[in-house]
Amino acid sequence: MIIGIGSDLCDIRRIAQTLGRHGERFTHRVFTDGERARCDGRAARAEGYARRFAAKEACAKALGTGLSAGVFWRDMEVVNLPSGQPTLRLTGGAAARLATLIPQGHEARLHVSLTDDAPMAQAFVIIEALPVTVTG
């Protein structure tokens, strides 16, 4: 069952300006070490940060809290599965909020779609609760 849906658009130019103006102060406040390593190692640095920023906003919307109620930027980390597919790793307040949304006997699966077409980056997040399957 679907527990939450969030989407967000982010202007890549705004992220580029913020990177130019605030640099590491911005990236260290909003992004995890892993996200910074991934974005800083690319030629399209602002685009990478913009996609992840949009994903964090979309995730906060899917959680139903926005960036409040103990949910902070770095509680939501965009990571990639071995296949390259993006997903989110939640910690802290975001993980705690997610736990309150998932019915007993279910586990969460977060679906993430990221894209950009200058000057915009876009993200969709769907939180799904799946029944826990017992194998044995």
Side-chain angles (χ1 to χ4, degrees), residues 31-41 49 52 77-80 89:
F31 301 98
T32 65
D33 291 342
E35 289 171 318
R36 289 192 311 273
R38 188 165 180 98
C39 292
D40 288 341
Y49 278 120
R52 282 160 180 76
E77 179 180 19
V78 177
V79 296
N80 293 85
R89 179 182 305 134

Side-chain angles (χ1 to χ4, degrees), residues 91-131:
T91 59
R97 171 64 179 168
L98 179 63
T100 69
L101 298 174
I102 303 301
Q104 195 165 39
H106 289 70
E107 62 187 4
R109 179 165 303 154
L110 282 79
H111 304 276
V112 179
S113 179
L114 304 174
T115 191
D116 66 81
D117 187 8
M120 302 303 290
Q122 183 177 36
F124 288 96
V125 173
I126 298 173
I127 301 172
E128 182 180 22
L130 299 171

Side-chain angles (χ1 to χ4, degrees), residues 66-83:
L67 289 157
S68 65
V71 175
F72 299 100
W73 289 111
R74 290 187 299 148
D75 291 346
M76 301 167 283
E77 179 180 19
V78 177
V79 296
N80 293 85
L81 299 174
S83 66

